[in-house]
Amino acid sequence: MANTMATIEISASPDQVWKLIGGFNSLPDWLPYIPSSELSEGGRVRRLENPDGDVIIERLVSFNEKERHYTYSIMQAPFPVTNYESTIHVRENGGKGTLVEWSGHFTPVGVSDDEAIKLFHGIYSDGLEALKKAFQA
């Protein structure tokens, strides 16, 4: 199983950051790679589309409002992995704003661990940069 994590510091408060990204249906609000998200199964499953029209279906595994994090798994996606599970966590950064962590683990299929790690690390890093820009606007 492979894994990766990206982090970013944001000058906004953890509550402000969580308000933007903490909803399971909020990816289109801050992640340019996902312009469309629809919830089903009482908000536990989201159907995403990327700009190319590829469909990604994810299931909410756990959600913790108080500690500001949620974990989800991929049920269907065009990615070369199985057993994918990821967590987005918003933390206080020692009184200096917020630290956001986006991590995941997965089993590569038809590609090397390094290729799969590079793919998801890029998605996480680019996504967190977009999130930071949302608070600089």
Side-chain angles (χ1 to χ4, degrees):
M1 189 162 274
N3 62 73
T4 189
M5 177 179 6
T7 62
I8 199 160
E9 294 180 0
I10 297 176
S11 59
S13 75
D15 286 341
Q16 290 172 310
V17 175
W18 183 247
K19 184 177 180 181
L20 177 59
I21 72 170
F24 191 54
N25 200 36
S26 69
L27 288 180
D29 298 339
W30 61 274
L31 186 61
Y33 180 70
I34 302 295
S36 171
S37 176
E38 297 175 14
L39 291 178
S40 63
E41 296 188 29
R44 294 182 303 274
V45 173
R46 63 186 177 194
R47 181 186 185 278
L48 310 170
E49 283 191 33
N50 69 17
D52 296 330
D54 295 324
V55 173
I56 304 160
I57 299 176
E58 299 173 336
R59 176 175 294 282
L60 185 63
V61 174
S62 66
F63 183 89
N64 189 312
E65 181 77 28
K66 183 178 178 189
E67 295 181 16
R68 295 186 294 263
H69 63 81
Y70 70 83
T71 299
Y72 63 94
S73 63
I74 289 180
M75 300 167 60
Q76 173 190 327
F79 306 127
V81 299
T82 61
N83 304 315
Y84 176 98
E85 193 170 274
S86 181
T87 300
I88 293 178
H89 200 153
V90 175
R91 302 177 186 272
E92 291 191 31
N93 192 21
K96 296 182 275 183
T98 299
L99 180 68
V100 182
E101 299 173 351
W102 194 353
S103 62
H105 60 269
F106 37 84
T107 303
V109 176
V111 298
S112 69
D113 283 9
D114 288 343
E115 289 172 298
I117 289 168
K118 183 178 178 182
L119 170 67
F120 285 103
H121 191 79
I123 290 170
Y124 299 165
S125 296
D126 291 349
L128 292 178
E129 284 295 332
L131 176 64
K132 186 172 185 171
K133 285 180 186 170
F135 283 95
Q136 294 172 336

PDB file of all heavy atoms in Angstrom, residues 29-49:
ATOM      1  N   ASP A  29     -16.404  24.441  -4.249  1.00  0.00           N
ATOM      2  CA  ASP A  29     -16.239  25.775  -3.673  1.00  0.00           C
ATOM      3  C   ASP A  29     -14.781  26.208  -3.588  1.00  0.00           C
ATOM      4  O   ASP A  29     -14.498  27.395  -3.454  1.00  0.00           O
ATOM      5  CB  ASP A  29     -16.859  25.843  -2.274  1.00  0.00           C
ATOM      6  CG  ASP A  29     -18.354  25.598  -2.286  1.00  0.00           C
ATOM      7  OD1 ASP A  29     -18.992  25.767  -3.348  1.00  0.00           O
ATOM      8  OD2 ASP A  29     -18.895  25.224  -1.224  1.00  0.00           O
ATOM      9  N   TRP A  30     -13.844  25.238  -3.648  1.00  0.00           N
ATOM     10  CA  TRP A  30     -12.440  25.603  -3.482  1.00  0.00           C
ATOM     11  C   TRP A  30     -11.467  24.807  -4.350  1.00  0.00           C
ATOM     12  O   TRP A  30     -10.304  25.194  -4.480  1.00  0.00           O
ATOM     13  CB  TRP A  30     -12.025  25.477  -2.013  1.00  0.00           C
ATOM     14  CG  TRP A  30     -12.145  24.089  -1.446  1.00  0.00           C
ATOM     15  CD1 TRP A  30     -13.258  23.521  -0.896  1.00  0.00           C
ATOM     16  CD2 TRP A  30     -11.123  23.088  -1.379  1.00  0.00           C
ATOM     17  NE1 TRP A  30     -12.983  22.234  -0.493  1.00  0.00           N
ATOM     18  CE2 TRP A  30     -11.683  21.947  -0.766  1.00  0.00           C
ATOM     19  CE3 TRP A  30      -9.778  23.064  -1.752  1.00  0.00           C
ATOM     20  CZ2 TRP A  30     -10.955  20.783  -0.544  1.00  0.00           C
ATOM     21  CZ3 TRP A  30      -9.046  21.904  -1.530  1.00  0.00           C
ATOM     22  CH2 TRP A  30      -9.635  20.786  -0.934  1.00  0.00           C
ATOM     23  N   LEU A  31     -11.920  23.731  -4.989  1.00  0.00           N
ATOM     24  CA  LEU A  31     -11.018  22.868  -5.745  1.00  0.00           C
ATOM     25  C   LEU A  31     -11.346  22.949  -7.239  1.00  0.00           C
ATOM     26  O   LEU A  31     -12.330  22.364  -7.691  1.00  0.00           O
ATOM     27  CB  LEU A  31     -11.151  21.419  -5.243  1.00  0.00           C
ATOM     28  CG  LEU A  31     -10.187  20.394  -5.809  1.00  0.00           C
ATOM     29  CD1 LEU A  31      -8.743  20.750  -5.475  1.00  0.00           C
ATOM     30  CD2 LEU A  31     -10.518  19.007  -5.272  1.00  0.00           C
ATOM     31  N   PRO A  32     -10.547  23.672  -8.022  1.00  0.00           N
ATOM     32  CA  PRO A  32     -10.844  23.835  -9.448  1.00  0.00           C
ATOM     33  C   PRO A  32     -10.946  22.510 -10.215  1.00  0.00           C
ATOM     34  O   PRO A  32     -11.668  22.436 -11.208  1.00  0.00           O
ATOM     35  CB  PRO A  32      -9.667  24.671  -9.970  1.00  0.00           C
ATOM     36  CG  PRO A  32      -9.138  25.374  -8.772  1.00  0.00           C
ATOM     37  CD  PRO A  32      -9.368  24.443  -7.617  1.00  0.00           C
ATOM     38  N   TYR A  33     -10.259  21.475  -9.760  1.00  0.00           N
ATOM     39  CA  TYR A  33     -10.287  20.182 -10.438  1.00  0.00           C
ATOM     40  C   TYR A  33     -11.675  19.526 -10.373  1.00  0.00           C
ATOM     41  O   TYR A  33     -11.993  18.653 -11.163  1.00  0.00           O
ATOM     42  CB  TYR A  33      -9.231  19.259  -9.808  1.00  0.00           C
ATOM     43  CG  TYR A  33      -9.158  17.877 -10.423  1.00  0.00           C
ATOM     44  CD1 TYR A  33      -8.665  17.696 -11.711  1.00  0.00           C
ATOM     45  CD2 TYR A  33      -9.595  16.756  -9.723  1.00  0.00           C
ATOM     46  CE1 TYR A  33      -8.599  16.430 -12.276  1.00  0.00           C
ATOM     47  CE2 TYR A  33      -9.533  15.494 -10.288  1.00  0.00           C
ATOM     48  CZ  TYR A  33      -9.032  15.336 -11.564  1.00  0.00           C
ATOM     49  OH  TYR A  33      -8.972  14.090 -12.130  1.00  0.00           O
ATOM     50  N   ILE A  34     -12.500  19.965  -9.421  1.00  0.00           N
ATOM     51  CA  ILE A  34     -13.838  19.394  -9.248  1.00  0.00           C
ATOM     52  C   ILE A  34     -14.894  20.502  -9.349  1.00  0.00           C
ATOM     53  O   ILE A  34     -15.257  21.121  -8.354  1.00  0.00           O
ATOM     54  CB  ILE A  34     -13.965  18.662  -7.881  1.00  0.00           C
ATOM     55  CG1 ILE A  34     -12.927  17.567  -7.745  1.00  0.00           C
ATOM     56  CG2 ILE A  34     -15.385  18.112  -7.703  1.00  0.00           C
ATOM     57  CD1 ILE A  34     -13.093  16.408  -8.741  1.00  0.00           C
ATOM     58  N   PRO A  35     -15.409  20.763 -10.565  1.00  0.00           N
ATOM     59  CA  PRO A  35     -16.421  21.803 -10.713  1.00  0.00           C
ATOM     60  C   PRO A  35     -17.844  21.354 -10.370  1.00  0.00           C
ATOM     61  O   PRO A  35     -18.744  22.174 -10.273  1.00  0.00           O
ATOM     62  CB  PRO A  35     -16.323  22.186 -12.193  1.00  0.00           C
ATOM     63  CG  PRO A  35     -15.797  20.961 -12.862  1.00  0.00           C
ATOM     64  CD  PRO A  35     -14.909  20.279 -11.850  1.00  0.00           C
ATOM     65  N   SER A  36     -18.051  20.023 -10.168  1.00  0.00           N
ATOM     66  CA  SER A  36     -19.408  19.529  -9.932  1.00  0.00           C
ATOM     67  C   SER A  36     -19.409  18.448  -8.851  1.00  0.00           C
ATOM     68  O   SER A  36     -18.572  17.542  -8.868  1.00  0.00           O
ATOM     69  CB  SER A  36     -19.958  18.946 -11.237  1.00  0.00           C
ATOM     70  OG  SER A  36     -21.178  18.284 -11.019  1.00  0.00           O
ATOM     71  N   SER A  37     -20.362  18.553  -7.920  1.00  0.00           N
ATOM     72  CA  SER A  37     -20.519  17.562  -6.857  1.00  0.00           C
ATOM     73  C   SER A  37     -21.996  17.425  -6.526  1.00  0.00           C
ATOM     74  O   SER A  37     -22.682  18.429  -6.336  1.00  0.00           O
ATOM     75  CB  SER A  37     -19.747  17.991  -5.607  1.00  0.00           C
ATOM     76  OG  SER A  37     -19.962  17.096  -4.535  1.00  0.00           O
ATOM     77  N   GLU A  38     -22.471  16.182  -6.469  1.00  0.00           N
ATOM     78  CA  GLU A  38     -23.859  15.905  -6.092  1.00  0.00           C
ATOM     79  C   GLU A  38     -23.870  14.851  -4.995  1.00  0.00           C
ATOM     80  O   GLU A  38     -23.194  13.826  -5.109  1.00  0.00           O
ATOM     81  CB  GLU A  38     -24.640  15.371  -7.296  1.00  0.00           C
ATOM     82  CG  GLU A  38     -24.761  16.339  -8.447  1.00  0.00           C
ATOM     83  CD  GLU A  38     -25.438  15.710  -9.660  1.00  0.00           C
ATOM     84  OE1 GLU A  38     -26.038  14.622  -9.520  1.00  0.00           O
ATOM     85  OE2 GLU A  38     -25.348  16.300 -10.743  1.00  0.00           O
ATOM     86  N   LEU A  39     -24.654  15.098  -3.952  1.00  0.00           N
ATOM     87  CA  LEU A  39     -24.748  14.156  -2.838  1.00  0.00           C
ATOM     88  C   LEU A  39     -25.891  13.174  -3.057  1.00  0.00           C
ATOM     89  O   LEU A  39     -26.906  13.491  -3.672  1.00  0.00           O
ATOM     90  CB  LEU A  39     -24.988  14.893  -1.524  1.00  0.00           C
ATOM     91  CG  LEU A  39     -23.841  15.729  -0.983  1.00  0.00           C
ATOM     92  CD1 LEU A  39     -24.263  16.421   0.299  1.00  0.00           C
ATOM     93  CD2 LEU A  39     -22.595  14.887  -0.754  1.00  0.00           C
ATOM     94  N   SER A  40     -25.716  11.960  -2.496  1.00  0.00           N
ATOM     95  CA  SER A  40     -26.780  10.958  -2.457  1.00  0.00           C
ATOM     96  C   SER A  40     -26.615  10.149  -1.175  1.00  0.00           C
ATOM     97  O   SER A  40     -25.694  10.389  -0.397  1.00  0.00           O
ATOM     98  CB  SER A  40     -26.721  10.049  -3.695  1.00  0.00           C
ATOM     99  OG  SER A  40     -25.508   9.320  -3.716  1.00  0.00           O
ATOM    100  N   GLU A  41     -27.516   9.220  -0.980  1.00  0.00           N
ATOM    101  CA  GLU A  41     -27.506   8.364   0.215  1.00  0.00           C
ATOM    102  C   GLU A  41     -27.414   9.180   1.496  1.00  0.00           C
ATOM    103  O   GLU A  41     -26.587   8.924   2.373  1.00  0.00           O
ATOM    104  CB  GLU A  41     -26.386   7.316   0.138  1.00  0.00           C
ATOM    105  CG  GLU A  41     -26.583   6.328  -0.998  1.00  0.00           C
ATOM    106  CD  GLU A  41     -25.608   5.176  -0.970  1.00  0.00           C
ATOM    107  OE1 GLU A  41     -25.149   4.797   0.129  1.00  0.00           O
ATOM    108  OE2 GLU A  41     -25.315   4.659  -2.061  1.00  0.00           O
ATOM    109  N   GLY A  42     -28.264  10.192   1.593  1.00  0.00           N
ATOM    110  CA  GLY A  42     -28.323  11.008   2.804  1.00  0.00           C
ATOM    111  C   GLY A  42     -27.071  11.820   3.064  1.00  0.00           C
ATOM    112  O   GLY A  42     -26.762  12.134   4.209  1.00  0.00           O
ATOM    113  N   GLY A  43     -26.335  12.161   2.011  1.00  0.00           N
ATOM    114  CA  GLY A  43     -25.120  12.955   2.167  1.00  0.00           C
ATOM    115  C   GLY A  43     -23.871  12.138   2.399  1.00  0.00           C
ATOM    116  O   GLY A  43     -22.796  12.694   2.623  1.00  0.00           O
ATOM    117  N   ARG A  44     -23.971  10.817   2.324  1.00  0.00           N
ATOM    118  CA  ARG A  44     -22.815   9.960   2.590  1.00  0.00           C
ATOM    119  C   ARG A  44     -22.029   9.593   1.331  1.00  0.00           C
ATOM    120  O   ARG A  44     -20.925   9.074   1.427  1.00  0.00           O
ATOM    121  CB  ARG A  44     -23.240   8.696   3.316  1.00  0.00           C
ATOM    122  CG  ARG A  44     -23.764   8.977   4.725  1.00  0.00           C
ATOM    123  CD  ARG A  44     -24.142   7.709   5.467  1.00  0.00           C
ATOM    124  NE  ARG A  44     -25.127   6.904   4.771  1.00  0.00           N
ATOM    125  CZ  ARG A  44     -26.437   7.053   4.839  1.00  0.00           C
ATOM    126  NH1 ARG A  44     -26.946   8.003   5.587  1.00  0.00           N
ATOM    127  NH2 ARG A  44     -27.253   6.251   4.193  1.00  0.00           N
ATOM    128  N   VAL A  45     -22.596   9.843   0.148  1.00  0.00           N
ATOM    129  CA  VAL A  45     -21.923   9.547  -1.115  1.00  0.00           C
ATOM    130  C   VAL A  45     -21.950  10.808  -1.973  1.00  0.00           C
ATOM    131  O   VAL A  45     -22.966  11.499  -2.039  1.00  0.00           O
ATOM    132  CB  VAL A  45     -22.615   8.371  -1.850  1.00  0.00           C
ATOM    133  CG1 VAL A  45     -22.037   8.176  -3.244  1.00  0.00           C
ATOM    134  CG2 VAL A  45     -22.472   7.089  -1.036  1.00  0.00           C
ATOM    135  N   ARG A  46     -20.795  11.114  -2.600  1.00  0.00           N
ATOM    136  CA  ARG A  46     -20.761  12.240  -3.519  1.00  0.00           C
ATOM    137  C   ARG A  46     -20.304  11.769  -4.897  1.00  0.00           C
ATOM    138  O   ARG A  46     -19.439  10.925  -5.031  1.00  0.00           O
ATOM    139  CB  ARG A  46     -19.872  13.374  -3.006  1.00  0.00           C
ATOM    140  CG  ARG A  46     -18.404  13.042  -2.844  1.00  0.00           C
ATOM    141  CD  ARG A  46     -17.654  14.206  -2.199  1.00  0.00           C
ATOM    142  NE  ARG A  46     -16.251  13.866  -1.976  1.00  0.00           N
ATOM    143  CZ  ARG A  46     -15.428  14.564  -1.213  1.00  0.00           C
ATOM    144  NH1 ARG A  46     -15.855  15.645  -0.586  1.00  0.00           N
ATOM    145  NH2 ARG A  46     -14.172  14.199  -1.070  1.00  0.00           N
ATOM    146  N   ARG A  47     -20.971  12.335  -5.903  1.00  0.00           N
ATOM    147  CA  ARG A  47     -20.633  12.066  -7.300  1.00  0.00           C
ATOM    148  C   ARG A  47     -19.970  13.322  -7.826  1.00  0.00           C
ATOM    149  O   ARG A  47     -20.597  14.383  -7.901  1.00  0.00           O
ATOM    150  CB  ARG A  47     -21.879  11.739  -8.106  1.00  0.00           C
ATOM    151  CG  ARG A  47     -21.601  11.417  -9.557  1.00  0.00           C
ATOM    152  CD  ARG A  47     -22.914  11.240 -10.348  1.00  0.00           C
ATOM    153  NE  ARG A  47     -22.671  10.810 -11.695  1.00  0.00           N
ATOM    154  CZ  ARG A  47     -22.331  11.612 -12.708  1.00  0.00           C
ATOM    155  NH1 ARG A  47     -22.179  12.904 -12.500  1.00  0.00           N
ATOM    156  NH2 ARG A  47     -22.138  11.114 -13.924  1.00  0.00           N
ATOM    157  N   LEU A  48     -18.712  13.206  -8.185  1.00  0.00           N
ATOM    158  CA  LEU A  48     -17.926  14.334  -8.645  1.00  0.00           C
ATOM    159  C   LEU A  48     -17.651  14.198 -10.136  1.00  0.00           C
ATOM    160  O   LEU A  48     -17.619  13.084 -10.662  1.00  0.00           O
ATOM    161  CB  LEU A  48     -16.588  14.373  -7.898  1.00  0.00           C
ATOM    162  CG  LEU A  48     -16.641  14.264  -6.375  1.00  0.00           C
ATOM    163  CD1 LEU A  48     -15.244  14.080  -5.822  1.00  0.00           C
ATOM    164  CD2 LEU A  48     -17.311  15.480  -5.784  1.00  0.00           C
ATOM    165  N   GLU A  49     -17.441  15.328 -10.785  1.00  0.00           N
ATOM    166  CA  GLU A  49     -16.957  15.327 -12.161  1.00  0.00           C
ATOM    167  C   GLU A  49     -15.788  16.278 -12.243  1.00  0.00           C
ATOM    168  O   GLU A  49     -15.813  17.363 -11.673  1.00  0.00           O
ATOM    169  CB  GLU A  49     -18.051  15.767 -13.133  1.00  0.00           C
ATOM    170  CG  GLU A  49     -19.070  14.689 -13.416  1.00  0.00           C
ATOM    171  CD  GLU A  49     -19.988  15.044 -14.571  1.00  0.00           C
ATOM    172  OE1 GLU A  49     -19.546  15.730 -15.519  1.00  0.00           O
ATOM    173  OE2 GLU A  49     -21.157  14.623 -14.512  1.00  0.00           O
TER     174      GLU A  49
END
